[in-house]
């Protein structure tokens, strides 16, 4: 049950936007002007009619009480979820009760809600009634063996290509262009080793990428060689490291860890996209367990993933860990209540402690690009042509990544700090620190994504 007196902040609403264009367009619709017949009810539903370019207003409804995150329905033709009208309606609702008074949903909104809850009940019944062990385990074993054989052949071929590259000299990689790397990546896709294919594509983007590219290329070749050898000798590895190698190569895995129930603070949510897939990353922090977990969800190219959890809210739920040494990835299990506002914050550490944490994590997973880190009492400061987060109580600092420097969130962070210390959550690795969420010494969470 969503309490009418507790409404999300505008920043929490905008953290749901699938992209910057939706965030900007939704912000323009967060005023009462284009809306009519808006309302909300204690069951966690918000609805309204938004004037558009046509003769009929768009019918927009949001189910805030859905435990896996808000669900949306709008009669507009947009393929984005949430669309700008849903974002505008939630912004209007977050502003107070005058523009979105309490009431009963209209028929069109009620029909959609009833249909959603009926389908959810049917899905739960089907899942409960499914016979365990109905799949043929012998057939599954044979499929796994065939795939492992294809990956082994792909890894062996990739090793030979790395040998040829080093024998011919790294300068040849610049002259050959990206085509040879794309061909090699396609061979890894044929071998069903999507993880190897992704790393090969990253390798192909390094030549001619700026000063020092030969050193970066050699480093990435070494990591790729290490992953190949890990796969070819996986039977000799400890179980956790072998699971990490399987994951890095691209083999799917199930979240087999025991369910852990906690009050999970939603630290950050952001999307990355390529021509084939949109990947959503949601970082959680368990208030009791002290564990940081990563939820991954996917959407076809051009479409946002379904799972959405507003930054800064808390979720009473279970999560189960995926196999692998030091892996933060988890699967969201049973949810006992919708996301709700909270004053909780994760504990922080110094920049020096963050660097030590990343070093320790590399022992378990040498291919790890970054680790989740919350920095306490840091100040954003310019560092020549770059920026860094400096320890307000010491002499250490972490450089920001090029990705962070290109985001508007950097200037939001600078404005939020104003020279005073702030708490910042983000991802830290060998490329630097990428801030995702910040908390001033007094005030709520602010998204930097």
């Amino acid at each position: 049950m969503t309490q009418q007196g507790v409404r999300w902040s505008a920043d929490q609403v905008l953290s749901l936007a699938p992209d910057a264009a939706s965030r900007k367009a939704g912000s323009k619709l967060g005023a009462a002007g284009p809306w009519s017949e808006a309302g909300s009810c204690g069951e966690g539903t918000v609805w309204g009619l938004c004037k558009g370019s046509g003769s009929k207003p768009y019918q927009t409804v949001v189910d805030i009480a859905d435990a896996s995150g808000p669900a949306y329905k709008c009669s507009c033709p947009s393929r984005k979820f949430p669309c700008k009208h849903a974002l505008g309606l939630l912004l209007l609702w977050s502003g107070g009760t005058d523009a979105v008074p309490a009431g009963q949903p209209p028929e069109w909104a009620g029909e959609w809600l009833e249909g959603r809850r009926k389908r959810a009940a049917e899905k739960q019944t089907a899942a409960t009634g499914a016979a365990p062990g109905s799949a043929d385990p012998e057939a599954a074993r044979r499929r796994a063996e065939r795939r492992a054989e294809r990956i082994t052949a792909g890894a062996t071929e990739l090793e030979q290509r790395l040998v040829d590259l080093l024998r011919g000299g790294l300068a040849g990689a610049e002259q050959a262009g990206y085509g040879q790397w794309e061909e090699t990546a396609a061979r890894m896709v044929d071998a069903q080793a999507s993880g190897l294919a992704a790393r090969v594509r990253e390798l192909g983007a390094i030549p001619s990428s700026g000063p020092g590219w030969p050193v970066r290329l050699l480093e990435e070749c070494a990591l790729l060689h290490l992953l190949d050898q890990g796969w070819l000798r996986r039977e000799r590895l400890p179980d956790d490291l072998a699971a990490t190698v399987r994951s890095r190569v691209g083999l799917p895995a199930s979240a087999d860890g025991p369910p852990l129930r906690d009050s999970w603070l939603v630290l950050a949510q952001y999307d990355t996209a390529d021509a084939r897939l949109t990947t959503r990353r949601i970082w959680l922090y368990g208030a009791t367990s002290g564990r940081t977990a990563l939820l991954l969800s996917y959407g076809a190219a051009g479409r946002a993933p379904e799972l959405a959890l507003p930054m800064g809210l808390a979720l009473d739920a279970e999560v189960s860990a995926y196999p692998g040494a030091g892996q933060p990835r988890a699967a969201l299990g049973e949810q006992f209540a919708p996301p709700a506002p909270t004053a909780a914050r994760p504990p922080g550490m110094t920049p020096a402690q963050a660097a030590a944490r990343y070093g320790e994590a590399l022992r378990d997973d040498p291919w790890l690009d970054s680790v989740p880190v919350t920095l306490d009492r840091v100040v954003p400061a310019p560092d020549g042509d770059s920026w860094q987060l400096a320890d307000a109580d010491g002499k250490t600092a972490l450089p920001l990544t090029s990705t962070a420097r290109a985001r508007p969130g950097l200037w939001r962070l600078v404005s939020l700090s104003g020279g005073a210390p702030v708490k910042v959550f983000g991802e830290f690795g060998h490329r630097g620190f990428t801030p995702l969420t910040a908390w001033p010494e007094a005030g709520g969470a602010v998204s930097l994504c």
Side-chain angles (χ1 to χ4, degrees):
M1 183 75 69
T2 299
Q3 298 177 6
Q4 287 298 311
V6 181
R7 305 202 177 202
W8 302 347
S9 68
D11 210 51
Q12 288 167 337
V13 171
L14 292 175
S15 71
L16 297 169
D19 52 41
S22 298
R23 189 178 297 113
K24 182 177 180 180
S27 296
K28 293 180 179 178
L29 295 174
W35 292 96
S36 61
E37 300 182 28
S40 62
C41 70
E43 294 182 355
T45 308
V46 184
W47 62 86
L49 302 177
C50 187
K51 181 176 175 57
S53 56
S55 58
K56 293 184 178 180
Y58 295 124
Q59 297 176 337
T60 308
V61 57
V62 182
D63 182 6
I64 305 169
D66 191 298
S68 60
Y72 321 92
K73 173 67 175 179
C74 186
S75 59
C76 76
S78 175
R79 297 181 61 192
K80 296 181 179 180
F81 294 95
C83 67
K84 63 181 181 180
H85 305 102
L87 289 170
L89 178 61
L90 286 175
L91 286 172
L92 191 67
W93 166 76
S94 71
T97 58
D98 292 341
V100 186
Q104 291 300 313
E107 183 177 356
W108 55 268
E111 289 177 353
W112 176 73
L113 286 167
E114 183 179 355
R116 267 186 54 77
R117 287 162 188 174
K118 181 179 179 181
R119 289 190 295 273
E122 290 173 348
K123 184 178 180 180
Q124 180 65 31
T125 301
T128 304
S134 57
D136 183 353
E138 180 60 25
R141 184 189 64 80
R142 290 196 297 269
R143 287 194 298 271
E145 288 181 350
R146 288 195 295 269
R147 181 168 186 177
E149 290 171 359
R150 285 191 286 268
I151 294 175
T152 296
T156 303
E157 178 181 345
L158 182 55
E159 281 291 278
Q160 186 58 52
R161 296 203 176 198
L162 290 175
V163 169
D164 293 342
L165 170 66
L166 296 179
R167 282 178 176 169
L170 297 183
E174 187 176 25
Q175 299 169 359
Y178 187 75
Q180 67 169 355
W181 301 106
E182 185 57 39
E183 177 191 355
T184 303
R187 295 284 295 165
M188 296 306 102
V189 172
D190 292 341
Q192 294 185 288
S194 59
L196 293 179
R199 297 194 77 92
V200 167
R201 289 193 177 98
E202 292 174 2
L203 208 65
I206 295 176
S208 304
S209 61
W213 71 260
V215 174
R216 295 194 297 274
L217 181 61
L218 187 60
E219 290 172 348
E220 291 302 319
C221 284
L223 286 172
L224 192 52
H225 167 69
L226 183 64
L227 183 55
D228 280 340
Q229 292 299 314
W231 171 261
L232 296 174
R233 293 168 171 79
R234 60 192 180 280
E235 285 82 7
R236 307 180 194 176
L237 300 178
D239 290 344
D240 282 348
L241 184 55
T244 299
V245 168
R246 288 193 292 269
S247 173
R248 291 297 182 186
V249 164
L251 278 177
S254 300
D256 57 3
L260 174 62
R261 182 175 180 178
D262 207 333
S263 176
W264 296 97
L265 172 63
V266 183
L267 293 173
Q269 172 182 297
Y270 69 97
D271 294 352
T272 56
D274 56 30
R276 298 174 296 276
L277 197 67
T278 298
T279 302
R280 173 164 294 165
R281 290 170 170 82
I282 302 177
W283 285 105
L284 306 177
Y285 173 75
T288 301
S289 64
R291 179 183 165 189
T292 303
L294 173 65
L295 306 181
L296 294 180
S297 57
Y298 303 94
R303 295 186 66 90
E306 290 188 4
L307 181 62
L309 298 174
M311 175 275 306
L313 300 186
L315 180 66
D316 182 7
E318 293 178 340
V319 302
S320 298
Y322 278 80
Q327 295 298 305
R329 187 184 176 189
L332 184 62
E334 184 176 358
Q335 298 126 67
F336 303 96
T342 179
R345 298 182 177 193
M349 61 180 65
T350 66
Q353 290 170 332
R357 178 177 178 180
Y358 179 54
E360 292 169 359
L362 287 175
R363 292 184 303 186
D364 295 327
D365 184 355
W367 309 278
L368 192 64
D369 287 329
S370 61
V371 293
V373 166
T374 300
L375 298 177
D376 206 14
R377 293 185 53 76
V378 291
V379 179
D383 179 27
D385 294 333
S386 185
W387 282 80
Q388 62 184 6
L389 289 179
D391 187 356
D393 301 322
K395 298 181 179 180
T396 57
L398 297 181
L400 297 190
T401 61
S402 57
T403 300
R405 298 196 300 270
R407 286 179 176 173
L410 169 60
W411 304 111
R412 195 179 309 160
L413 176 60
V414 172
S415 175
L416 182 71
S417 166
V422 291
K423 181 183 290 258
V424 183
F425 169 78
E427 297 169 350
F428 173 65
H430 61 281
R431 296 184 180 91
F433 186 87
T434 300
L436 300 174
T437 305
W439 294 263
E441 292 200 336
V446 176
S447 175
L448 307 175
C449 300

